[in-house]
Structures are given as structure tokens and as C-alpha cells.
Amino acid sequence: MSSEVMGYNAAMGLGLVEEMRRDAEIFVLGQGVATGGWFGAEKGLASEFGLDRVIDCGISEAFEAGLAAGAAIVGMKPVINMGFGDFALIAGDEIYHKLAKWRYMHGLDVPMTAVIIFPIGTMGGAGPEHSSCTEVLGMHFPGLKVVVPSTPEDAKGLMKAALREPNPVLFHSVQGLGWARGEVSTDPEFIVPIGKAATPRQGRDLTIVTYGSMVPRSLEAADTLAGEGIDCEVIDLRSLVPLDWDCVLESVSRTNRAMVVHEAAKTAGPGAEIAAQIQERIFFDLEAPVLRVGGKDFPLPQHSDLEAMSIPSVDAIADTARRLFAI
Amino acid sequence: MSSEVMGYNAAMGLGLVEEMRRDAEIFVLGQGVATGGWFGAEKGLASEFGLDRVIDCGISEAFEAGLAAGAAIVGMKPVINMGFGDFALIAGDEIYHKLAKWRYMHGLDVPMTAVIIFPIGTMGGAGPEHSSCTEVLGMHFPGLKVVVPSTPEDAKGLMKAALREPNPVLFHSVQGLGWARGEVSTDPEFIVPIGKAATPRQGRDLTIVTYGSMVPRSLEAADTLAGEGIDCEVIDLRSLVPLDWDCVLESVSRTNRAMVVHEAAKTAGPGAEIAAQIQERIFFDLEAPVLRVGGKDFPLPQHSDLEAMSIPSVDAIADTARRLFAI
Amino acid sequence: MPAPDPALLEQMFHRMSVARAIERLMLVHTRERKFSGWWHPGEGQEAAPIGATAALERDDYLWYQGRGSAWAIGKGMAAGLILGDLLGKMNGATRGKGGGVPHWADYSIGVMGEGATLGSVYPLAGGSALASRIRKDGRVSLADFGDGTSARGTFHETMVHAAAWKLPLIYFCENNGLLVGTRLGEVSPTENIADFAKGYGIPGIIVDGQDAVAVYEATREAAARARRGEGPTLIEAKVVRRHGHYAGDPQKYRADDEFDDYRDPVDVLAARLRGNSAERIAQEAEAEVKAAYEEALAAPEPDASVIERDLYHVQ
Amino acid sequence: MPAPDPALLEQMFHRMSVARAIERLMLVHTRERKFSGWWHPGEGQEAAPIGATAALERDDYLWYQGRGSAWAIGKGMAAGLILGDLLGKMNGATRGKGGGVPHWADYSIGVMGEGATLGSVYPLAGGSALASRIRKDGRVSLADFGDGTSARGTFHETMVHAAAWKLPLIYFCENNGLLVGTRLGEVSPTENIADFAKGYGIPGIIVDGQDAVAVYEATREAAARARRGEGPTLIEAKVVRRHGHYAGDPQKYRADDEFDDYRDPVDVLAARLRGNSAERIAQEAEAEVKAAYEEALAAPEPDASVIERDLYHVQ
Ligand SMILES: Cc1ncc(C[n+]2csc(CCOP(=O)(O)OP(=O)(O)O)c2C)c(N)n1
Ligand SMILES: Cc1ncc(C[n+]2csc(CCOP(=O)(O)OP(=O)(O)O)c2C)c(N)n1
Ligand SMILES: [Mg+2]
Ligand SMILES: [Mg+2]
């Protein structure tokens, strides 16, 4: 199949455009989506699909998320750009109660497609209220699917999968990867299934379980470690709900050592669940504790140097891997 | 020192009243706090302290939490009854961004006292949006202290500590224990320090780390197990931030077996962090994986029988302990 | 606006009588079987839902709040689904998940459901109204709420956009002057929720909420306006909450003379019927509710498998 | 209301000139040093903050939004704290945490800070206003926000209560007609944010936001009203956003003739000064800002320890 090199945000946008062409029930709404779009993804959407389907909204995040629930229940397929993952906390009732539970609490099992785009993570000084990783919320509160693509191709493929999924999806796009480039399939039927991890690097000595912004960093650390004779397997989860436990457990039961890496604050982040569950399920396969490398348990400073020091560096990942290998 | 038998909510209320008498900067606000109060805690507050300090609010949770931040920054000591822990998701920006980070992001280290009361957990059919346990949010987002008392005495002592604490405290009162009775110290200087766990039962075979509604259930399970020759230590964390790691690790390094029990949904709940960190820190002391018993990863049904089946029972705790002991 | 024709009036009275019979039954059920306080009695307020739903089309979208049962009944749900749900039985609307707070929905007749965090219906109704604008399907969305719930931020966020975009949306307030035991005036700058309409430049209509026909007419007008593409309307029905906030609430906070000039909405509507059909219809409704209650009592309880149902849709 | 006296006028002009000099400097700094786009230029809008802050007392509480620097300067913060912070240096207001979006606070002069989730200032200002009512300290709280931010739910939740409780609160809107690149009219039922006041039964005042004296007078009046216990006022200043939304925004969405009858607030205020003091004051301000900039450039960068500062207070 043919492919094309493009940026992460552009690929996510392309996934959206392709699906909008084939499904008239999809519409996009968010602050500035019609006038250009913040993260480059929605450029030109309004001219192709018209202002009926590409809707600029005011500064009302709770309304945005709540309308997604209402529109999805009546069968439309809203895509909402929430601007920043931090704003999950502004629209929490609408996302983690309404979108997640409306069908459940009414005892009605109907398809309900809605994609909530949460750009997460640091991007160079956006500050403590525009840089958080909030994906763990979607793991703790049941009823939603949760994805975090790490490559342009996954951004496209997961967006397309989300728009064909009969359940609401929290689509966490990685702010720090917005302009990262890569090969992207141009096949209009190419999708990345929700709930399937990838293994971008195979290895025998230890398993690095990661996703999002930390995938390229983990791969870079693995390259360095390869030179030192430490052979890392790197798993890119891609989806956090459902999480591909088969892939994770199969790998760790082979390597017998695991660490989890993410940008989200370490304490009570996704890595806590992953570490807890690995040791719960295959304790006697482990030769060492499951280690975690996560963001500092502090708000993100506005200062971009301090910000960079607040999230895991390639060195920090490599150091932890060395430590894990040595145990 | 003298003590008195009273209910959990009443004891929490008494802690509040005692502190309000000694500190004129404390005020209480919430829906219905002046007209009687939902959970019994605020009865009669308005007549003693007047409507200036006991304020009925409209249905505006974001305002309630945000005003707490504003009032605390100017040196007052607001106590907000948020009604239900689930409403953390309605006021998320105000709690996890403003209350938690305002000082940090402005680079100003000043005392800031504010107590946000979040009644959490099931209470017999309150339904999916009034029964959630949301305490894990306070663990993941930095900047707040987080407590969950399990006895009337702790409810009083932690309330008093929270009102003398120069940092905002999320005070999770346990809905299911509201009418549980127990001995409560009447000493006006009695406080329960934030960040100190209790060990209501000592044991040699395994450690049950728990808090809130699951403390009495874990103790009951431990009693049963004692008859079977399994000697459980039970730790009541009382505070989740800061968490008394010394107490937990000391115990587990003695018993070599640990399990975490909470009512909150299991996945990515507080137990994930606790299990992850125990094995991270004392892996080679463990003879078995750290197991978790938590609420089902489903919304809470309105139906009270189904609700009861959705959270850990004494039997489920005992069964897990037996399994852990047998590993 | 034309008044409802006699057949519609009878249907309204029938539905109001069903709702009232459910109210009466739930009072007894609560007392005798120690039913939990999660039932919020709607007696006294039935004219608002019955009048409003009568003015809607079958496929218009209704998002309601949780007092009483008259919204769902008014929009055409069977009493059996409601009672089965209240009793937590498998034959109820939620198929076993219920037991107090209403989460009754039937999408085929536009009963879209209730959110127990008050104020959650505004953006959801905004969403279905936006869907109708995109699809040009001529449907109207109605968001019902209590006076106290007008203070939620979602009230504003949704109406700012609905008014700007002229969405086919009706805000319908049941103003009973109380939030649990707090008087509205303690926490609101106005006793008239309709005043908030001024800020959005939309009509704010106050109607006699004890008179189902007055409510019908106002809602009819608002729905017509919405369908003409002229945007949202805020209707405020002045209603009386006859009982406590929840089943069992002793209501010590209410004045002795509060009900001195109380007009029962059932009587007000009965007086508008032809001949003496009221009595007959009321009896039929009571019989219907009684039968549904017996059926609910006999219906099976849910088992644990119900807990894990309806979370995700599998294609 | 009396006009500001000559000394106050000069102080206002001085502060406006400082803010303007910071604007000019940041344009150059952004271009030459590739400074990040997290700086949101306030040029053209300075009359609103300068007029409003001049009408407040030193210990009144100011909660502002993040465009430009004139709110903090107007309330009395030194240029050095602002520039040090923008450059991310240890001598800035946040002592090393800064670098674009303003989080400048000085509680001793009532500069309470900014929340970068827009609309967060409403309930915080409501909180300080409530504190003043409880303490009877005669202080006024002012919440500044942009026109787009009027759609946030917190706008409504706070004002419902502030109006009901007659809190000493001023809502101050800088209406530049734009939210990033979206025209206000696309997402708001009214171009006049002051219209929202009608819903709450409070005064909604529109002032010429290019004229600091007009803003001063309106704010003075609102503050006096608040101190008399008569409750909140909503002031809307019509302002012009002279530059892009953020530093570097190419602003393709703006019309060619948009600035044809633009009145620079610096000129408007200069014309009100006695004699030719304007030029002198402007030069002094520029020199002050230049010196502060040099100092900031030379000031030390933060080290990693700054990350872990100020999260918890230790008694
Ligand atoms: C967001 C939210 N806040 C608070 C509550 C608790 N609560 C349930 S009913 C009620 C009073 C509602 O008053 P109103 O809106 O006037 O409706 P009414 O009960 O009078 O019908 C309150 C505060 C809730 N369910 N949701
Ligand atoms: C809650 C929230 N939503 C969205 C944003 C992103 N955002 C930053 S500035 C801005 C436009 C603000 O418009 P307005 O309030 O009119 O202020 P102006 O920029 O015109 O001064 C937006 C949408 C944000 N910071 N916070
Ligand atoms: Mg009411
Ligand atoms: Mg603007």
C-alpha cells in the first residue's frame, strides 16, 4: 500500500477528513476549528465541509463536551477539539459522567460515537494549566475508550477507528509531537484498531511499556542501551482503554523485567495501574520490580527549561533501564 | 482524656464547630448547610455562628470550589460541603488547578487553608453520579492534601487538623459510615495529624492496606481469618496525600505479603499506586504479588442490591487474603 | 395558539392521572416498605410536564429532571416501565438498574433521560438541538430543570450558544421556589427565572404552572418559534411542590400557610374536560397504575450480571 | 463622579506608558530572540486596565486575565518584576517559573493573579468579595475578562450569587470583539457583554475603552456602589486589540480597514494631561522599562530546585 510522509497533527486531520467524506453524520466543533484550528489539524475543514459541520464554539468547554453526548445519543458523530487535556477538568461531569455513563444508567445499549480530542503534555512553556496529561482519568472512570497515538500513522489510524467505534473515545493527541513527521498509509480503509498495542522494538533483556510522547524517547534510550549490551523491547500501548494486556504480559513474561514510562505525573498515573497489574498477574516471572519513570509530581512550570526537567528525559529512561537490568 | 460516643458525621461536625469557635476566619458554605445540612454534620451551625459564617449556596459547584480558593488566598478559611465526591468532576478546574496550583504558579508561598468536603462512596442506592469515590484525583494532581477518615474519632481529628493546616485539604467523608458510631476524644486540642496512618490491628502473616469504608470490612475479614490461623495486620491510611509510606513499608517488610483494599473502582484507583510503590520499593521482601481488591470497573447501579455487589464485601476481602496467604 | 382539542385534553388528563396515581402509590410504598428516600415526589407539579409534553411532537427530544414521573408519562412512556424501575425490577425501564432516581429513557418516543448531576441536561439538549439544526429534521429539544438548577454554569454556556445559533431549544423551568430546604430568594438575584432570558435576548415567558393548558399553549408557541428557526425560548412555570424534597423529608422548613391557596393541577385540568369524563379517566388511570404496580411487585429482581451490562456497545 | 486629579492623571499616564513600553519591547524581543508565542500582546487595550486600576484602592483585590501587562502595572507592580518573569529569570514576579503567560501577583497591593483557564477569575474574585462581606473590610474585588470569556459557566454561577448576596464585586470586560480569530458575534447572542447584566438585575455599563478617564469614572462609580453594599456592577470597555492574539499570530482573519479609525489610548490620555508632561513621562517610562529589561537579561536563570518550590506551605 502507498504511503506519504506527513506531520502528526496533519495526519490526525487527514483521518478526520477522510471519515467526514464518507459519513455525513460526523461534525467537528471546537474553539477556532472553523477559523483555522489551533493544532493545524483542522485547516481548511470549513471550506470543504461548510460551517454546518465545522463549528466554531465559544469558550464553554462543559457545553462542548455535553453537546457531544447529546448529539451522539441522537446518532450524530461529534468530534470535539477541547483545546487542551487540562480542560478535562472543566468538563469533567460531561465527559466522565455523561458521555461515559448515559447509556449505562438508562439501561440502553445503543451505538454512540463521539471523539473528544484532548491535546496533552508539554509543548514548550504552555504552563501549568495547558500542559497536563489527564489520560488517567479515562482509565479510572469507566465507560470510555482512551487512546494516545505516538506516530503520525497511528494518529490517523486511531482517529479513523474512533470515528467507526460505537463508543465515545477520548483521543489524546500529544502536543509535543504535533509536528513530528512520519510515513502514513494513504489507504482509505487503513485503521489502527483501538485496544491493540504495537512493539516498535523487540528485545530480550527488559520491556519498556510506554505510549505517547515517551515512545520516541524510549526508542532513543533503547538505541543507546543496545550499544551497552542491553536489549530492550519497547511496547507502544496506543490505547489505554482497552489496554492490550496480552501484549504486555507476553513480553514481560519473556524478558522478566519491566518498566513503565510516561509523561503524566508519576503518582497515581497510568503507570501505577500498569505496574500493579503486571506484578499482580505474573509476579513469579519477574526478576526485578516493575519500575516507573513519570513526570514530576509538580505542576508544569511555565519556564520551558524547567518544564523540560519536569518530564522524563532520554537519559532518565536509560538510567532506569540500566538500574533495572542490573537488579 | 475523656471521650464520648457519637456518630461519624456528628463527630466531623463537632470538629468543625470546635475550630469555628476558636478561629473567626473559618466559614462554612454549601448547599443546605444553613438550613440543616445534608449529612447531619452542620445541624445547628447557623444558629451558633450566624448566617455570615454559615452560608447556603445555590447549585453552583464550580463557584463553591473557586470561591474557596479566592477566600483562602485572602486569608480566610473556607469549609465547603460539596455534597458528593462525584461533584469533583463539576468543579475540577477550581479544585485541581486553582486550589492546588495558584500559589505554585504565582511563585508565592503563603499559607492557604481550605477544606473541601467530598462525601464519597455508596450509601444505598444513590446512583452512578452520587456514589463514586474520587479521591484518586487528589493523588494524581499535585498541590492538595487528601484525607479519608474511617472512624468518628478520625473524622473529628482530621477535620480539626485540616483547619489548622496551611494547605488546601480534600476531606473525603465516607457516606456509608455517616451514622457509624464510636468513641471520640472530647479534648479540644485532640487532632489526628494529616499524613499519619493507623494500625488498628497488628498481625504477622499479611498486611491489608486500606482506608475509609473498607477499614471496618477489612477488620471484620481479619477477625474471620484469625479463626483460620491467618494473622492479618490492617493499616488504615487515613491520609492519601501525604501517604504514610514508612508505616506501610515497615509492615509489609515484616509480613512479606500485602494487599490493598478500597471501595474506589479498582483500575487506576489509589490501590494501583500503593501496589506499584510497594513492589517498587521492597520487591525482594515480597513473597507474593501485592493484590488489590477494589470496586468494580462499572458505574454504580442505582439498585441497592447491585450496588452492594459492586464494592468489596467482607467475603471478597477474606477470599483474597486467603489466596494471598496461600501463594 | 389554539387550545388543545378535546381528545388531547383527555389524553393529557389521562396521563396526569397516571402520574398522580404513581405519586400516591409511591407515598404508600415508601411508608409501608421503607423505600429509600431517593424518590423525589412530584405531586403538585404535574401540570407543567403534562402541558409541556402535550405540546411536543412524538419525535421531539425531551431531557428532564428527576422530580415525579409526569415527564416520562406525558411523553408516552408506560406506567409499567416506571414502576418496574422504581421497584428495581427487571421489567423496569432500565432493566434492573433502577430504584429511585429516574433514568427512564425511550429514544423511539424522544424520552432522552435524566442526569442526576443537576444542570447536566442543558448541554445535552443543546447537543440534540444542534443535531437537529445540522440535520434539518425540524425537531425541537426541551431541557427541563428546577429553579435552583438555573444557577448551574451549563445553563449559561448552553444558552449563550443556543441563542447565538438560534437552536431549536426550549428551556423549561419548574419553579417551585425551593432547592431542597433553601428558598430560591436566598441564592438567586430574582424569583423569576424567566428574567435570565433578558441577558440572551430571547423570550422569557412566565406561565401558571398549575394549569396544564396554559403550559401547553406557552410550549406550543415556543416549539413553533423553534421550528421556524427563530431560536430558543425560556419558559418558567410557577409550580407548587406539594411534598418534601425527597420521600420522607419532614419539611420543617415550610410555613403553615404555604398551601392555603393551593390549586391542585388535577382539579384545574379536570374542570376543563367535557361532561364528567374526569372521574372515569382518573379511575382508569388508577386501575392501570395498580395493575402495573402488582406486575412490578411480581417481576424478577436483577442478578449480578446486570451490573456489567450496557457499558460498552459491541457492534 | 469626579475626574481624576492632575497627579492621578500623571500617574495613570506614567503607568500606561510603562505598559506600552513593555509591549513595544516584547514585540522586538519576540522577533529578535524567537520568544515563544505565549505572550499575548495588550497594545491598544491599555486604557481599560489603567483606568480601572486607578479607580481602585491599594488593598482592593484585582483578578485579571492574561493580555498585556497593564493590569499589574496599573495596580502598582514594578516593571522589573514583569520583565524578569517574561524572560524567565529569578528576579521576576514568580521567581523563576515564568516565561510568557502572566502569573504575576503581589498580595500586598491586591494583585491577586491570573488563571490561564479562562473564566477562572470569576469564582476566585467572588471568594475574595465574599471574604470582604464577612470581614466587613470595605474592599472591592474586580474580575477582569475578555469578551469571549463571558461564555464560561463560572461567569453565571458567580454572578448569580454575587447579585443575590450584593457582594462588592466588579465584573470588568475588555471587549475587543475577538476570541483568537473568531468574531464574538459568531458565538454570542449579543455584541454587548453588558447585556448579560440584565439577567441579574445589576447595572451593565458600556464605556469607551480607549479613554482611560471614562473607564476610571465608570469603575469609580461601580466601586463606590460596591462599598455602599449595593452589589456588583458589570462594566464593558470597548477596546481594540492592536496586534495578533499571541506574539507571532499573522492575523489573516482581520479586515484591512479594521484600524481606520483607531484611537490610540496613549494619545487619548496624553491629550488630557497639563502642558507637555506627556512626552517627559513617556520618556521616563521608556527608560525605566529599558533598565528593567537590561536587568532581566542579566539576571540569573532558575535551576531545577525552582520546580519543587511553592507547592506546599510549611508552617
Ligand atoms: C450538580 C448537583 N448539585 C447538587 C445536587 C443535589 N440536589 C439534588 S436536588 C437539589 C435541589 C434542586 O432544586 P431545584 O433545581 O429547584 O429542583 P427541585 O428539587 O425543586 O425540583 C439538590 C441541590 C445535585 N443532584 N446535582
Ligand atoms: C477555559 C479556556 N478555554 C480556552 C482557552 C484558550 N484561549 C486562550 S485565549 C482565548 C481567547 C480569549 O478570548 P477573550 O476572552 O475575548 O480574550 P482576548 O484574547 O480577546 O483578550 C482562548 C480561547 C483557555 N485558555 N481557557
Ligand atoms: Mg425547586
Ligand atoms: Mg476578546
Side-chain angles (χ1 to χ4, degrees), chain A residues 8 44 60 67 156 248 276:
Chain A
Y8 179 102
S60 299
L67 79 82
K156 183 184 176 196
V248 172

Side-chain angles (χ1 to χ4, degrees), chain C residues 46-105:
Chain C
E46 296 98 333
I50 294 298
T53 50
L56 297 179
E57 299 297 326
R58 181 186 162 91
D59 60 7
D60 287 336
Y61 299 119
L62 166 69
W63 309 83
Y64 60 93
Q65 67 125 326
R67 185 167 294 293
S69 70
W71 285 99
I73 297 289
K75 197 83 171 58
M77 273 186 93
L81 289 172
I82 307 272
L83 283 167
D85 188 67
L86 284 171
L87 272 58
K89 298 303 183 73
M90 288 303 288
N91 72 334
T94 62
R95 300 184 299 143
K97 292 212 191 86
V101 173
H103 294 299
W104 311 311

